[in-house]
Amino acid sequence: MSGIEVAIFGPRDGVAAVKAVGEKLNGKTRLELNRTGSYEQNGLTPSTWELEHLNASLDHAGLQDVPVRIMIRPCGAPKLGPDFVYSDAEFEQMKSDIRKFKESKHMSRERGDGFVFGVLRQSCSVPQMLVVDRVRTAELKHLAGDDFKCVFHRAFDLVISTSRDEMWVDDLEWLKTQEMAVLTSGGCGNASNNTKALKQVLIETARIGQELIVGGGVRSDTLESLGNGMGGLGYIYALTSLHSVGMVLHSSFLKRDPSNVVSFDAEEARKFKATLYTLISSQGCAN
């Protein structure tokens, strides 16, 4: 493991999230910034004001070196048709948003800021199979430039779940040529239910030297089963160390109150941190 990525929905919880899990938890902690209130839509593009506000709060807390990744997603899942297959207008919005954030001067190459996005298309050869839209993805990556890191987000779950005969490996290898990390739960649903597929993704990303970010229901009570299902923390640590690549754990640490209001759960984040430390120590995987 080489760090924790915390998805936040608005700037308010940024400092609390970093303090709860630690600025360096078996690697560097970073934030994924989504629009305030967009959790139910699985995260949407925030405003430049939200990034500015997050930066100010991190600076005030002495956490100005914490990397921030910006979600670029113009809309939630459509009522009809697959998610992450965007219209021309939606794609133009994604490009405009990347330009806007770069021009805002609120992003920092030095601290490791970047963008998170995913664009799919229907396969031309296999019915019902979704694949990475390489033309559009390359265009977004070009707009982001070499200064900012880019992650292909959980749209890749659909690539894996609709793939035939592990054809998703071709897309994974192509993303590596674009110097993009991959965030996935190994298929539809939570990561702990897709450990067989995630183990294969881990093997492939390690082989080609690509950062893997594991997300989707990653909580304190699923950490052990997730690690064991992927071969054990010792296996993960040995494989990633051998190939000098990282595996990052991604979670939002949210809770839902009786009124159905979602908020950051600092207690769960601290419990996650303690559980991870215990598992790492017990299996001799400390950095």
Side-chain angles (χ1 to χ4, degrees), residues 133-198:
D133 189 325
R134 299 185 183 187
V135 173
R136 285 181 161 184
T137 300
E139 191 169 352
L140 294 177
K141 179 64 173 66
H142 177 73
L143 277 174
D146 295 332
D147 287 346
F148 298 107
K149 299 179 183 297
C150 290
V151 174
F152 196 93
H153 63 42
R154 287 186 61 190
F156 204 76
D157 295 351
L158 296 179
V159 176
I160 295 174
S161 63
T162 63
S163 178
R164 305 281 180 84
D165 301 321
E166 295 188 353
M167 293 174 68
W168 55 264
V169 175
D170 289 339
D171 274 337
L172 194 71
E173 292 176 339
W174 180 83
L175 289 169
K176 171 58 180 175
T177 70
Q178 302 298 300
E179 297 299 319
M180 293 185 67
V182 173
L183 165 61
T184 183
S185 64
C188 295
N190 289 336
S192 58
N193 296 326
N194 298 317
T195 53
K196 182 179 179 180
L198 274 174

Side-chain angles (χ1 to χ4, degrees), residues 1-2 26 202-203 206-207 227 230-247 280 283-287:
M1 250 73 75
S2 61
N26 205 48
L202 173 65
I203 291 170
R207 176 180 63 84
M230 293 178 67
L233 289 185
Y235 171 79
I236 294 170
Y237 181 77
L239 185 64
T240 54
S241 297
L242 177 65
H243 295 277
S244 300
V245 294
M247 191 185 92
I280 289 171
Q283 299 192 32
C285 305
N287 284 348

